[in-house]
């Protein structure tokens, strides 16, 4: 069946960079910092870290372990592992839902990646210069109102993604993350350094880290749980696909610890880059697209050095989005490559073109096709809801249940190098705590 030897990461470092690149995305930049600030600062960070340790990290390890054992795309990995262990073929659904989820998310993720590209250019050409709040709002809404503009940027972003993935795991994915991740780190450090000069760094530190236990409620804990899951790109077949290129020598637990630490540090760093600028310019806090595409451009357009800082910020955002987008395309391409006669380039073109076409329906939701399709949701929100609320938690749940309850316990423990107390802890966490956590997120989000 296989046309060539299955690819492998050329080192543990590039694997770490690729996995971190996937994990660090829009969520780290437009969601996490704001969530921390609004939900209790250090108190929230603490809860979040517990969620990461008890839910995110075990599922991350489980997905890598499954992928590494299968050495195939997530769908074949699940069907073969099920067959191998004499289990129901129904487990294949976990792989199917993962690959499908990645495909669906990529379609609209690319639309937002396109916004980021557009604002990178906007920063260079000084498009925000001197604009007031209405001006930057008008700029953003103007972009959303134009199908042609959105299509152009979405297409460009998808072409970049396809261009990287088509070159394969070693030259494409590794080549990209080897350049983009260090660049991302450098940009982040410079932006934080700038934040320190604004005179409002302390305010940002206080906003992010001052613990306010009273702000911890059921809702904020639920948000921490959900984000711990989303930020590690779990339940999308991504980490399974990345695991399928892993060799036996890599220590999964240690590697997962590195990845979650980097993901969290970068997310907090993003807050230390963003909030000093927001506070120094006396702007109102917002979250999500509003913070990134309206509030920050307003600041960049009205401060000294705004052109260069704006350029650096939107490059950072674009790099974060691009390394996540390639990770979304990878499981789909791996599947097409292994299941059809197509080679890498053909498989990437087919998978990428499919997601691109679906992305057109998503981008029309902002303008000519904004009427709800079903359940009062337009295509963009339908894709978002279907994937993040349903497919991801259920896929992640399937992966952890399969690993904890269906695979031979001893072989998993020896693969992870666990014994004695640590083995018992792993057993407890993966069999009960993590699945329960996902179920809570799933039910809570409905
Ligand atoms: N982990 C990404 C983030 O935190 C989210 C993501 C990555 C979503 C890849 C989809 C695909 O932003």
């Amino acid at each position: 069946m296989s046309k060539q030897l299955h690819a492998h990461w050329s080192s543990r470092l590039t694997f770490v960079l690729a996995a971190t690149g996937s994990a660090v995305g829009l969520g780290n930049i437009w969601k996490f910092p704001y969530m921390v600030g609004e939900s209790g600062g250090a108190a929230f960070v603490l809860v979040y870290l517990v969620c990461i340790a008890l839910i995110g990290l075990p599922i991350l390890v489980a997905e890598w372990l499954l992928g590494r054992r299968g050495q195939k795309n997530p769908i074949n990995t699940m069907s073969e592992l099920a067959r191998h262990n004499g289990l129901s073929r129904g487990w294949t659904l976990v792989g199917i839902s993962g690959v499908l989820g990645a495909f669906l998310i990529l379609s609209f993720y690319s639309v937002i990646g396109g916004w980021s590209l557009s604002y990178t250019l906007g920063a260079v050409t000084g498009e925000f210069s001197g604009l007031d709040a209405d001006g930057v709002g008008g700029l953003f809404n103007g972009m959303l109102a134009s199908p042609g503009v959105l299509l152009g940027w979405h297409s460009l972003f998808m072409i970049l993604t396809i261009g990287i993935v088509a070159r394969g795991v070693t030259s494409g994915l590794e080549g990209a993350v080897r350049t983009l991740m260090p660049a991302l780190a450098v940009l982040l450090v410079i932006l934080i350094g700038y934040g320190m000069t604004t005179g409002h760094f302390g305010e940002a530190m206080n906003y992010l880290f001052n613990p306010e236990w009273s702000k911890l409620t059921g809702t904020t804990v639920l948000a921490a749980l959900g984000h711990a899951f989303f930020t590690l790109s779990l339940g999308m077949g991504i980490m399974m696909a990345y695991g399928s290129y892993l060799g036996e020598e890599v220590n999964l637990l240690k590697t997962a610890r590195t990845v979650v630490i980097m993901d969290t540090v970068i997310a907090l760093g993003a807050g230390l880059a963003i909030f000093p600028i927001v506070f120094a310019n006396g702007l109102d806090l917002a979250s999500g697209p509003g913070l990134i595409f309206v509030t920050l451009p307003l600041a960049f357009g009205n401060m000294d050095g705004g052109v260069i800082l704006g350029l650096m910020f939107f490059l950072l955002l674009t790099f974060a989005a691009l390394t996540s987008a390639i990770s979304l395309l990878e499981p789909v391409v791996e599947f097409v490559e292994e299941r059809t006669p197509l080679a890498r380039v053909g498989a990437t073109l087919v998978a990428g073109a499919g997601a691109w076409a679906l992305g057109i329906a998503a981008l029309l939701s902002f303008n000519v096709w904004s009427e709800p399709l079903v359940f009062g949701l337009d295509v963009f929100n339908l894709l978002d809801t279907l994937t993040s609320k349903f497919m991801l938690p259920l896929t992640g749940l399937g992966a952890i249940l399969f690993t904890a309850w269906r695979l031979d316990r001893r072989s998993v423990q020896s693969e992870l190098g666990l014994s004695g107390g640590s083995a018992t802890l792993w057993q407890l966490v993966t069999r009960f705590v993590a699945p329960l956590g996902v179920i809570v997120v799933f039910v809570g989000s409905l």
Side-chain angles (χ1 to χ4, degrees):
M1 185 81 213
S2 82
K3 283 165 294 209
Q4 72 231 42
L5 267 184
H6 195 75
H8 270 140
W9 302 106
S10 47
S11 70
R12 176 175 176 271
L13 176 68
T14 51
F15 169 61
V16 167
L17 289 179
T20 308
S22 173
V24 174
L26 298 165
N28 295 59
I29 298 173
W30 83 24
K31 190 156 177 219
F32 184 74
Y34 177 79
M35 202 156 76
V36 172
E38 291 303 299
S39 319
F44 180 85
V45 173
L46 203 71
V47 172
Y48 171 79
L49 290 177
V50 171
C51 297
I52 283 279
L54 294 181
I55 297 158
L57 190 135
I59 299 180
L60 178 63
V61 170
E63 291 198 11
W64 284 346
L65 183 138
L66 293 173
R68 178 161 78 178
R69 289 195 172 188
Q71 294 284 310
K72 293 256 163 52
N73 70 82
I75 298 178
N76 286 53
T77 282
M78 287 311 295
S79 74
E80 283 182 24
L81 288 179
R83 194 168 44 92
H84 209 78
N85 292 279
L87 303 166
S88 154
R89 289 295 292 263
W91 286 105
T92 312
L93 271 175
V94 174
I96 295 175
S97 154
V99 171
L100 189 63
F103 177 80
L104 297 178
I105 293 177
L106 178 59
S107 70
F108 65 87
Y109 205 78
S110 166
V111 173
I112 304 176
W115 301 354
S116 184
L117 279 177
S118 153
Y119 272 65
T120 309
L121 183 74
V124 183
T125 55
E127 226 178 299
F128 324 128
S129 293
L131 289 185
D132 58 9
D134 287 343
V136 285
L139 204 64
F140 186 52
N141 291 328
M143 176 179 76
L144 295 186
S146 165
V149 171
L150 289 180
L151 177 62
W153 290 110
H154 161 56
S155 307
L156 183 61
F157 187 83
M158 192 65 90
I159 289 170
L160 289 174
T161 307
I162 291 174
I164 294 170
V165 176
R167 300 180 59 208
V169 173
T170 331
S171 340
L173 269 58
E174 292 192 325
V177 297
R178 254 198 220 117
T179 327
L180 295 178
M181 294 311 287
L184 186 147
V186 169
L187 289 169
L188 188 60
V189 168
I190 297 176
L191 287 167
I192 295 173
Y194 171 79
M196 290 177 176
T197 68
T198 57
H200 291 262
F201 194 73
E203 208 179 323
M205 285 289 282
N206 187 45
Y207 177 67
L208 276 177
F209 293 113
N210 183 31
E212 287 185 81
W213 297 99
S214 63
K215 283 194 177 168
L216 281 186
T217 61
T219 320
T220 52
V221 172
L222 208 64
L225 262 164
H227 194 70
F229 193 81
F230 181 81
T231 192
L232 295 177
S233 308
L234 301 174
M236 314 181 202
I238 292 177
M239 293 305 180
M240 266 193 225
Y242 276 18
S244 77
Y245 304 123
L246 270 181
E248 290 306 321
E249 71 288 353
V250 173
N251 180 320
L252 298 183
L253 280 168
K254 259 199 210 151
T255 310
R257 192 180 57 195
T258 311
V259 170
V260 305
I261 290 175
M262 299 222 287
D263 180 66
T264 307
V265 167
I266 293 175
L268 290 168
L272 293 178
I274 293 171
F275 295 131
I277 296 178
V278 175
F279 293 138
N281 289 276
L283 300 173
D284 289 333
L285 285 169
S287 73
L291 174 66
I292 301 299
F293 296 107
V294 181
T295 306
L296 283 177
L298 180 58
F300 293 136
N302 293 284
M303 64 200 249
D304 291 335
V307 168
I308 182 80
L309 287 165
L311 171 63
M312 290 198 293
F313 177 79
F314 284 108
L315 269 183
L316 169 84
L317 188 70
T318 301
F319 292 170
L322 198 55
T323 50
S324 293
I326 60 178
S327 77
L328 283 165
L329 186 50
E330 183 56 39
V332 190
V333 169
E334 190 183 23
F335 171 71
V336 175
E337 201 184 358
E338 287 172 359
R339 292 290 284 266
T340 70
L342 290 172
R344 182 78 187 185
V345 173
T348 312
L349 283 174
V350 167
W356 173 79
L358 187 59
I360 298 178
L363 68 84
L364 293 179
S365 309
F366 293 103
N367 37 72
V368 298
W369 194 16
S370 58
E371 316 78 65
L373 189 66
V374 271
F375 309 123
L377 298 168
D378 57 30
V379 176
F380 190 96
N381 284 303
L382 181 67
L383 287 168
D384 183 19
T385 306
L386 181 69
T387 51
S388 60
K389 292 215 160 119
F390 294 92
M391 298 176 73
L392 308 190
L394 292 177
T395 309
L397 184 63
I400 191 75
L401 288 178
F402 185 85
T403 311
W405 290 96
R406 286 290 170 260
L407 289 181
D408 175 57
R409 187 162 54 98
R410 283 179 202 293
S411 80
V412 170
Q413 287 169 2
S414 89
E415 181 166 345
L416 298 178
L418 299 170
S419 61
S422 62
T424 312
L425 183 65
W426 167 261
Q427 203 66 3
L428 194 73
V429 167
T430 57
R431 285 201 160 176
F432 304 102
V433 181
L436 207 71
V438 182
I439 292 171
V440 169
V441 176
F442 180 63
V443 175
S445 73
L446 293 185

